[in-house]
Structures are given as C-alpha cells and as structure tokens.
Amino acid sequence: MGSKYCGRKREERSHTLPHIPCQDLSSSSDKRKRVQEALKTFRDEFDKRYCQYKSNQLDYCLKTKVLKETAVSMQKQYQCENTKKRLGHVDGINVGDLFQYRAELVVIGLHHEFEKGIDYLGKSESSLATSIVATHKYSNVMKDGCLIYEGQGTNPRVRKPLAHHDQKLETGNLALWNSMNAKRPVRVILKISGKLKYDGLYSVDKMTQGRGEFGKLVFKFVLNKLPDQPASVSLSPKDDVMETETFQKRPKSRDHAVPKDIVKINDVSEGKEKFPIRVKTPISGVELFKPFNYLVTMTSCINRVSQCGIQFELEIFKTESKGWGVRTPSFIPSGSFVCELVGEFAHHNNKNAESILHDANYIFNLGFGKGFIDATKHGNIGRFINHSCSPNLCVKDVMYDHNDKSVPQKMLFAEQDIPADRELSYDYNCFKRNFKVESNDCYCRSPKCHGQIYI
C-alpha cells in the first residue's frame, strides 16, 4: 500500500540548515583520545558497578539497567563527550569503530538514545535525523551499501504493546522523512554479530509504506552509503549476523586454527567459569595437553575484579607453530578484564622450587624475590595464552583483599579493542624468567618481533 506522504514533492518543504562539516581526522587526535578515555571510564565504572551485585542477580535485564545507570552517572558528572546532538560525523569517532553496548554510543555522542533506533534533533516539521541503529529486531536488510531500514513503532520483538498498531509518520520516522526531503545524510550504526559498528554517513533516498512482518503498516526507508567511505557489509535477517560481501576482510593470521576444527572438550573448566571453555582441534586430530586441575582464582586470593569470573567467551585452539593458544569468539573492548593468571604459589626458597622450575613451561616468575606461580598441575585458561612482542593484553597487579602482599595477583586486561576470532597474547618479558624453558624462540611474527621471548 502506498503512503499518502510518498507522493509529496520533496521541494514542498525547505530547511535552512548549517553546513555539515567534514571530519578532519588529522586534527582530531586530541578529541579521539578524549573519546577513548570516556569509553575506558565507562567500561571501568560499569565493571565496578556490575560486580557489586550477587552472581545470582546477573541477568540480562539487570545488566542493561546497570549499563544505563553508568552512562547517566557519567552524564551528571560531565564525563561524556559530544553531548550536543549534531548532523554528520562526530569528532573523535572513525568510520569502522566497534562498540559493545548501546550505552557506549550515548557516552561518546554517536547516538543519544538508549533504546530507540532513530535519534534526531528539532521538533515535528523542523526535525532531522542524526543517526540510526540497525539491528535484527526490525526487518532491516543491508546489501552492497544499500540499507532498507524499517521505521520506528510498536514491535513485539522490542516490547509487547497493549495494542499493536500501524506505524505513524511522527517522531523518528518524521525526522527521517525530513532528512530525505532536505537531502541531509544520517549516521548509520550496524549491529554485527553482537557488536555495534559505525558504518558512516548515508543519504535517505526513498520512503515507502506497506504491510510488515506482523501485519501492520510500516515505513521502509532506503538509505545509500555516501561515497569515499570504507565499504559496508551485508545484513542477514538471522541472529544479528551481517554477512560480509563488499566488506574488506582482514587477512587471517597464520596462527589461526586450521579450518574444520572440531570440539574436543566441551568445557575444560567443568562448569567453574560463567562460559564453557571449549578445546578445538583439527579433524585430523592432535594429542591433547596433559590433564590439570582447573582453578578459578589463586588459593586464598579473592578480589573485586576476578570474583565475577571470566565475562567473555574464550576457547583453546591449536596454533600452527606455538602449540596451544587462546582466542575469543566474541568482541572484547579495550580495558576489559579478561582473566587472572592462576596456579600454585611458591617461594624461590621452597625446597621443591628447583625441581618445579626445571623444564617448566607454565611458570610465571614474579620477580623481586616474591616467588612464582606454577600452573603446571593447577591453573586456568591463562596458562594457554601465548607471548607476543605486540600483545593485545597487558598484565596488571590488582588490589589485595588479603593481608599477604607477598602473594601478588596478576590480572590480564585488554590493551585494545580485540575483534572476534583474534588470538589473545601478552608480553612474557614482564615476568623476566631466569630459568630453563623448552624454547626461547619467538614465533609471534609481529613487525616488532625480537626473535626471542626472554630478552
């Protein structure tokens, strides 16, 4: 069914609008740094608030509530960036940037709505859309840079309305219609495999009206990506997955697992972690590592960071040249806690220390006479994380909740945004081992590789 609005000539409405400035990336390094600092502040504060709740309360609804509370708290303390709505690109944010939560978009000013898919400025006839978020909750289709975006309105997938009715040309829908008439582009954020990707500026070129999936009239907006921007991706209607077609694929590391891996162990943690930790090997099969007792944290070491456990999916896989490794099937944002390095603690003066250190490949030397952590027989997934001269994780000491400060707790945090299927790594040199290991050669193949692990 055609809309009475679609026959209207575009020139019937006029808007006196300021020029939309182009994003000057060369002069926005300071602004981008502030945006990244705001994101780190948000993630740190969210982790702190989230861990204050008991484990049996950690459900999806509560998590969403805490995310919003964290963002609102930052707004009240003037810790957010780009707080005024604007058209065009946003300072400090690049096309292709990835985010984990909708609340992060609010904190940095990319999209100012916590739930609504269309953000806009102005009122009624003078309103203009600033940004939209395209997810699977509406019947959105993306292919070759063209987005078919379903309008805003009651949708049983979002919330169950008292009475499901036709979409109306008001609020966000009207703003998109106005943007089409005024030929003003909007920012588009796509949800890709659970992550939010800023895909750049799109023009709103057409609007139609017809029966939607649930039998009511819905608006369909046709948006096309403006030229001279990174290529976009294609949207599949299932599971928030956007299948890449024109997206420039990142070359896979030589140390990614061989294709057609099979799950050899469903959960090496035996239910001790929040997410099952799978072990994958090629179909041809490889010999598994020696059995070990899985520990969640160091004996008597309990702290506010690790007591919530691992918060991201991790899996163990067989690399090409480095033995076993760890990768993430999901996106891990910069600054996030990944896991603790866990094992048996022993002092250097321990009578069994020499025998333990001999040919030990799961030893973390703590230096300064403190001793070492031995993860050979008792440990967690941290024992499988490989070294890299250009790591994506960093090792930090955390606050002690016990009196024995000679027993340090070593935590791994994401040093940068880590995409899905990327191998995790940290710099072994931070431990300064001074005992025998099976091999000192480095196979990380990074541009900054030293050739040796312990230098």
Side-chain angles (χ1 to χ4, degrees), residues 217-380:
L217 291 176
V218 299
F219 295 105
K220 294 285 186 178
F221 295 91
V222 179
L223 296 93
N224 285 283
K225 191 166 187 177
L226 298 185
D228 301 325
Q229 296 182 98
S232 68
V233 297
S234 296
L235 172 62
S236 166
K238 296 181 180 179
D239 300 325
D240 272 355
V241 176
M242 295 191 178
E243 299 174 346
T244 55
E245 288 189 0
T246 59
F247 180 62
Q248 296 177 349
K249 295 183 179 179
R250 183 186 295 105
K252 289 188 176 180
S253 166
R254 291 178 61 185
D255 276 315
H256 276 275
V258 178
K260 299 182 180 179
D261 280 3
I262 61 172
V263 177
K264 199 72 173 181
I265 301 177
N266 285 322
D267 185 8
V268 74
S269 77
E270 297 181 333
K272 295 176 183 177
E273 298 287 7
K274 180 178 180 180
F275 299 101
I277 297 178
R278 296 179 176 86
V279 178
K280 292 186 175 181
T281 64
I283 290 180
S284 56
V286 295
E287 184 180 354
L288 288 175
F289 43 81
K290 294 181 179 179
F292 68 99
N293 179 34
Y294 195 97
L295 301 178
V296 175
T297 187
M298 294 282 287
T299 305
S300 80
C301 291
I302 302 174
N303 58 82
R304 295 187 182 92
V305 178
S306 65
Q307 68 183 3
C308 290
I310 293 174
Q311 300 296 307
F312 301 96
E313 291 184 79
L314 303 174
E315 63 184 26
I316 301 167
F317 74 107
K318 191 70 172 178
T319 69
E320 180 183 308
S321 57
K322 296 180 292 186
W324 296 101
V326 178
R327 63 189 174 195
T328 170
S330 58
F331 170 72
I332 300 179
S334 176
S336 299
F337 167 70
V338 176
C339 73
E340 180 182 0
L341 294 176
V342 172
E344 296 178 282
F345 175 77
H347 287 284
H348 283 295
N349 58 7
N350 186 298
K351 62 180 181 180
N352 296 321
E354 186 175 346
S355 61
I356 293 174
L357 293 175
H358 183 70
D359 288 334
N361 291 303
Y362 297 107
I363 299 293
F364 311 116
N365 189 21
L366 303 177
F368 304 105
K370 292 179 179 180
F372 54 88
I373 299 172
D374 178 16
T376 306
K377 297 180 180 179
H378 306 273
N380 70 344

Side-chain angles (χ1 to χ4, degrees), residues 36-232:
Q36 292 172 338
E37 288 174 351
L39 285 172
K40 186 178 185 305
T41 299
F42 171 82
R43 290 161 183 167
D44 290 346
E45 181 63 22
F46 167 70
D47 288 340
K48 179 181 176 182
R49 288 169 178 258
Y50 195 37
C51 286
Q52 288 175 350
Y53 293 90
K54 295 180 180 179
S55 59
N56 61 359
Q57 293 178 306
L58 298 178
D59 56 27
Y60 176 79
C61 293
L62 180 60
K63 186 175 183 179
T64 303
K65 178 183 177 182
V66 177
L67 285 167
K68 187 172 182 178
E69 285 180 354
T70 305
V72 171
S73 175
M74 288 185 62
Q75 288 175 330
K76 292 179 179 178
Q77 298 179 55
Y78 304 100
Q79 294 176 310
C80 296
E81 293 293 325
N82 304 303
T83 55
K84 293 184 178 180
K85 295 187 179 183
R86 59 173 295 178
L87 301 174
H89 290 297
V90 177
D91 293 336
I93 304 171
N94 296 342
V95 176
D97 281 351
L98 296 174
F99 309 94
Q100 188 174 12
Y101 303 118
R102 285 282 292 266
E104 293 178 342
L105 308 182
V106 177
V107 167
I108 60 175
L110 186 62
H111 188 82
H112 290 262
E113 293 286 345
F114 285 101
E115 298 177 359
K116 295 179 181 178
I118 305 174
D119 190 13
Y120 60 94
L121 53 81
K123 295 181 180 180
S124 60
E125 297 294 314
S126 300
S127 64
L128 290 170
T130 57
S131 58
I132 61 174
V133 178
T135 74
H136 73 299
K137 291 182 179 179
Y138 284 82
S139 299
N140 301 316
V141 178
M142 177 75 179
K143 188 173 182 179
D144 298 329
C146 179
L147 172 63
I148 312 298
Y149 184 79
E150 186 175 301
Q152 185 177 338
T154 54
N155 185 334
R157 288 203 191 99
V158 179
R159 61 173 61 89
K160 292 188 180 297
L162 294 176
H164 188 44
H165 52 71
D166 298 338
Q167 290 184 356
K168 300 177 181 178
L169 195 62
E170 59 186 15
T171 59
N173 294 332
L174 179 59
L176 271 178
W177 164 258
N178 292 339
S179 294
M180 179 185 72
N181 289 337
K183 298 183 179 179
R184 293 294 186 177
V186 299
R187 297 186 297 273
V188 171
I189 298 101
L190 305 174
K191 193 165 187 180
I192 309 173
S193 300
K195 301 178 291 291
L196 295 160
K197 174 178 179 281
Y198 175 42
D199 205 46
L201 297 179
Y202 282 63
S203 61
V204 187
D205 295 331
K206 184 180 179 182
M207 185 189 79
T208 59
Q209 190 180 33
R211 296 290 173 185
E213 180 181 357
F214 302 102
K216 300 299 180 180
L217 291 176
V218 299
F219 295 105
K220 294 285 186 178
F221 295 91
V222 179
L223 296 93
N224 285 283
K225 191 166 187 177
L226 298 185
D228 301 325
Q229 296 182 98
S232 68

Side-chain angles (χ1 to χ4, degrees), residues 26-37 81 92:
S26 62
S27 62
S28 63
S29 58
D30 290 340
K31 185 65 175 179
R32 182 161 179 80
K33 185 177 180 180
R34 292 198 296 272
V35 165
Q36 292 172 338
E37 288 174 351
E81 293 293 325

Side-chain angles (χ1 to χ4, degrees), residues 356-420:
I356 293 174
L357 293 175
H358 183 70
D359 288 334
N361 291 303
Y362 297 107
I363 299 293
F364 311 116
N365 189 21
L366 303 177
F368 304 105
K370 292 179 179 180
F372 54 88
I373 299 172
D374 178 16
T376 306
K377 297 180 180 179
H378 306 273
N380 70 344
I381 192 171
R383 73 201 293 271
F384 297 105
I385 299 179
N386 285 313
H387 162 84
S388 176
C389 299
S390 299
N392 49 26
L393 303 178
C394 62
V395 182
K396 294 183 180 180
D397 291 330
V398 300
M399 183 182 298
Y400 297 91
D401 282 347
H402 55 82
N403 295 325
D404 187 3
K405 294 190 176 182
S406 67
V407 184
Q409 296 165 243
K410 300 294 184 178
M411 304 290 171
L412 292 175
F413 290 83
E415 199 163 36
Q416 57 195 251
D417 287 344
I418 304 176

